[in-house]
Structure formats: structure tokens, C-alpha cells
Amino acid sequence: MRRVYLDHSATTPVRPEVLEAMLPFLKDEAFGNPSTIYSYGREAKKALDEAREKVASLIGARPEEIFFTSGGTEADNLALIGTAAANEKKGRHIITSSIEHHAVLHTAQYLMRHGFKITFLPVTPEGLVRVEDVEEAITDETILISVMHVNNEVGTIQPIKEIGHLARERGIIFHTDAVQSVGKIPVNVDELNVDLLSASSHKIYGPKGVGCLYIRKGTRINPILHGGAQERKRRPGTENMPGIVGFGRAAELAGQELDSEMERLKGLRDKLIDGIMNRIEDVQLNGDREKRVATNANFSFRYVEGESLLLSLDMKGICASSGSACTSGSLDPSHVLLAMGIPHEVAHGSVRMTLGRDNTEADIDYVLEVMPEIVARLRSMSPLYNQR
Ligand SMILES: *Cc1c(COP(=O)(O)O)cnc(C)c1O
């Protein structure tokens, strides 16, 4: 059966070039610990430095401002908890949005239980944070603002540059979770006015279990793990060499191919969106139509259960998701769609399709061919649809 993978925001396959770069570090060829002084160690240290340069280059940072972590989740935890711990004498107020990934949302809730005051900003019906709302939420106690660059569920691109400008004027540390923007749109830490930025390897065709936090020089932040002096004492533990080398190679390739690949995917995305909207009734596109990454389409089908739709798509070999991978399996509708003011019953019928390198025009044709039949069949079994 044909298989169409449309869940690239959940994870991506490791590119062959990336695997090739990693292999020596998984074998006895290059197993050294980069903290040691003999040849194996020096070789590892050199590869570590090169990977750091490649990741730094993708986001316009200096290599010494990149701190490797076990992924996007750890980077977000370090950004929030590390900043809170280092700045709590200055104030105990943090501003974030209500549509963040759980790695930020649940970390903010954890800090709330430990005496920090958190503002969860609302969003517009299109899923955008308003800069005016950020400005209004700032108090003398505010030490950190954390707003994601691109939302993982609806693909909206947030006004990071403007929020960063505001934060800098007020002397507040600014973090962005850029896991879904890096490799999809140009990301430059200076242009965006950010002090902290999270990225993850497995969302850009690198291996899972590795990511980084960019920390602008001079930013006050404490480590959250304690141990050795690795990563300039910000993140102890012997480095995940195969992972970091793979992440570096993935970052290098993402930078080289960004423009051409995103132009191509935008064409496929628009074909998918227009095709679904034209072929099926009672469907809405979630998220802003323009301020949106080239890879994301998110629809709500009225009178359809999202989970049933996903199962039917799976039977046709189409891999999609109901929002974030982390919430699939639970029947609660997405916190992002609810924050956008989408009613529960509509949010329940939502499907996210996220495009990537392996997708072709024929994949979209196939989805557009099978989707109307599936939706019609599910609706024919829905009492609500028949009574409408
Ligand atoms: C995937 C994702 C994360 C988590 O990254 P991991 O490397 O899987 O821990 C954080 N934020 C966003 C927006 C994501 O999409």
C-alpha cells in the first residue's frame, strides 16, 4: 500500500547524509570523550566544535552561545527554570502564551507551583499573540517573556521580532521556542531580538534526543542539571557525540536547502488546502492563512471525530495527527485550538497535516482523492450530521 507521511511536525526521518556523518561516532572509529586530551578525545572535541559552528550558523549565533541539550524539551526547561532561578531576586513574574508546546506550558505551571506568577497570554482567532497584550502584561516584577516562534499545531508565525524589541527596551530576558521555525523559515537571533532560543534536531531530519539552547552572551541563567563542566558549565554530562554530529550536519543541510525546499512545500501545502476546502463541505482551516509556515495545514471537519478520521486515514496509509503528538491518545481537544476560541465540538474534528522533504505532488493528489470519501462515510454515521 502507498504510504504518505504527513506528520513532519511530530518528527522527521534521519537523512542519509546525517546518518553517514554520525556512524563513525557510533563505532570504534571515533568513540572518544571530547573532555580527554589524547588523540581520540581531541578528534571528538574537533567534531563537537564543528557541529556547534554549523548549528550556530543556521541561527546567526556565535558558536560559544550554543549549548547542546537532550532535545527541545530540555532546552525549554533550561530556558524557563534556569532563568527563573538566576533572576528570582529581581522578580517572580513570567509572561508566556496559552498556545505554547507542553515543554513550555507545563514548565511554566511547575514554576507557578513554586511561587512564580505566570501570565498566559490569549491569542487571536487566527492563533497569533498580540504585541499589545505582551506590553500590557509587563510589570516591574517581569523577568522573562517566552513566546514560541512557530506554533506546532497550526503553524502560525508569531511577531517575535516585535516582542523581542519590547523585552529589550524593558530589560526583560526573552526566550523563543523555535523548534518549529528553525529549518522552515529564516531564523536569526539578532534580527529576532532573542536572548534564549530552543531548537531540536529530530524536527529537521536529524536524530532524536538532541537539541540546543542558544544563550546570548551575558544572559543570566543557571544550569538545571549538576555535574561536570561540559557545555561551559551550563549543561553537564558527557556529550551525545553521534547525536550532536548528526544535528550539526542536519542544520548545515537545512540552511543550504531552506529557500528552495520551502518554495516547493508551499506549493504543495496550498494545493492541499485549496483541494480540501473545494472538495469538502463544512470544513475550516485553522491558523492564519498568510502568517504560516510552508509545511502546515490544520483543518476542522464538522460532524467528524478527529480520532476516527485519523484511523481511517491510517488504513489508507496516510499518517497525520490530531495536533501535537504528545496529546494524541487523550481525548481532550487541543489546548491551542481551544485558546483560539474554536468550540470543543469543532476542535474535536481536527486534523493536522505537516509536509516535508519526502512529500510529492502525487502524495497530495492521493490525499485529495481519499479524503472526501472518508469524511462522507464518517458523516453518514453521525447522528448530528443527519439531524443538522
Ligand atoms: C517537538 C517540539 C518540542 C520538543 O522537542 P523534543 O526534541 O521532542 O524534546 C518543543 N517545542 C516544540 C514547538 C516542538 O514542536
Side-chain angles (χ1 to χ4, degrees):
M1 186 180 53
R2 185 180 189 115
R3 211 146 61 136
V4 177
Y5 184 72
L6 288 173
D7 206 13
H8 293 84
S9 286
T11 195
T12 56
V14 171
R15 295 177 65 147
E17 305 94 316
V18 168
L19 177 64
E20 200 187 320
M22 292 171 69
L23 279 176
F25 296 87
L26 290 160
K27 295 181 180 173
D28 59 4
E29 295 162 31
F31 68 96
N33 182 328
S35 301
T36 56
I37 59 160
Y38 42 79
S39 58
Y40 280 119
R42 288 197 309 272
E43 282 153 25
K45 177 71 167 61
K46 184 162 168 280
L48 180 61
D49 290 344
E50 282 170 11
R52 202 184 301 284
E53 277 166 28
K54 287 171 184 169
V55 172
S57 161
L58 182 62
I59 60 168
R62 286 181 287 187
E64 64 272 21
E65 295 172 314
I66 300 296
F67 297 83
F68 289 115
T69 65
S70 66
T73 299
E74 189 192 323
D76 286 341
N77 273 260
L78 175 56
L80 269 72
I81 300 172
T83 305
N87 297 275
E88 63 178 337
K89 293 221 168 60
K90 216 179 134 201
R92 296 189 134 237
H93 179 229
I94 294 171
I95 298 170
T96 187
S97 84
S98 46
I99 60 164
E100 298 296 311
H101 187 274
H102 283 147
V104 166
L105 218 49
H106 290 170
T107 305
Q109 286 159 0
Y110 163 83
L111 287 169
M112 203 159 76
R113 292 194 296 276
H114 288 266
F116 286 81
K117 189 167 178 284
I118 316 284
T119 301
F120 296 96
L121 297 170
V123 292
T124 66
E126 293 77 36
L128 292 165
V129 172
R130 295 168 67 243
V131 183
E132 304 91 274
D133 288 343
V134 180
E135 188 161 19
E136 261 176 46
I138 295 174
T139 72
D140 292 343
E141 291 272 298
T142 310
I143 52 169
L144 173 69
I145 299 172
S146 176
V147 175
M148 71 198 316
H149 195 184
V150 164
N151 181 268
N152 47 301
E153 294 189 33
V154 292
T156 43
I157 304 171
Q158 304 297 333
I160 294 306
K161 186 178 173 169
E162 292 78 9
I163 299 172
H165 182 72
L166 193 61
R168 186 148 307 159
E169 269 185 344
R170 307 293 180 94
I172 300 164
I173 296 172
F174 182 40
H175 167 248
T176 191
D177 175 339
V179 171
Q180 295 289 347
S181 61
V182 168
K184 297 188 177 77
I185 55 174
V187 173
N188 181 292
V189 292
D190 289 335
E191 276 172 27
L192 292 175
N193 300 316
V194 297
D195 302 305
L196 303 168
L197 178 147
S198 307
S200 174
S201 155
H202 76 101
K203 305 285 173 79
I204 61 165
Y205 306 92
K208 294 166 182 59
V210 59
C212 73
L213 183 67
Y214 156 80
I215 305 178
R216 183 178 295 278
K217 189 168 183 282
T219 306
R220 286 174 62 93
I221 185 165
N222 287 358
I224 54 172
L225 297 180
H226 302 278
Q230 291 92 347
E231 298 299 285
R232 309 175 84 219
K233 299 190 183 152
R234 248 58 174 267
R235 206 288 188 171
T238 301
E239 297 83 351
N240 169 7
M241 286 304 302
I244 290 170
V245 167
F247 183 21
R249 184 75 177 113
E252 183 177 34
L253 293 163
Q256 287 165 7
E257 296 170 9
L258 183 82
D259 293 344
S260 58
E261 185 58 4
M262 289 309 136
E263 196 56 36
R264 186 184 78 87
L265 290 179
K266 203 168 171 201
L268 294 187
R269 179 202 67 186
D270 291 344
K271 178 179 166 128
L272 176 64
I273 293 176
D274 295 342
I276 294 285
M277 306 296 284
N278 290 337
R279 282 173 177 77
I280 302 174
E281 282 181 1
D282 286 321
V283 52
Q284 70 180 52
L285 176 74
N286 298 315
D288 198 274
R289 186 71 183 79
E290 301 303 323
K291 290 174 188 149
R292 167 181 222 115
V293 280
T295 52
N296 179 290
N298 185 312
F299 305 100
S300 290
F301 298 90
R302 294 296 300 267
Y303 315 108
V304 171
E305 259 280 313
E307 293 292 314
S308 315
L309 186 47
L310 293 180
L311 290 172
S312 304
L313 288 170
D314 183 38
M315 286 195 283
K316 295 282 187 186
I318 298 168
C319 313
S321 85
S322 59
S324 74
C326 326
T327 41
S328 293
S330 86
L331 283 175
D332 295 336
S334 137
H335 68 282
V336 174
L337 298 179
L338 295 183
M340 289 162 61
I342 295 172
H344 266 254
E345 67 275 16
V346 179
H348 257 306
S350 300
V351 168
R352 176 187 76 175
M353 296 184 178
T354 47
L355 304 162
R357 293 188 72 240
D358 44 290
N359 293 131
T360 62
E361 193 102 16
D363 288 348
I364 306 303
D365 289 332
Y366 178 63
V367 173
L368 294 178
E369 181 193 315
V370 303
M371 196 74 147
E373 294 165 20
I374 293 174
V375 171
R377 184 173 51 79
L378 292 173
R379 281 180 176 165
S380 73
M381 299 186 297
S382 154
L384 282 174
Y385 184 72
N386 293 318
Q387 284 160 23
R388 85 194 182 288

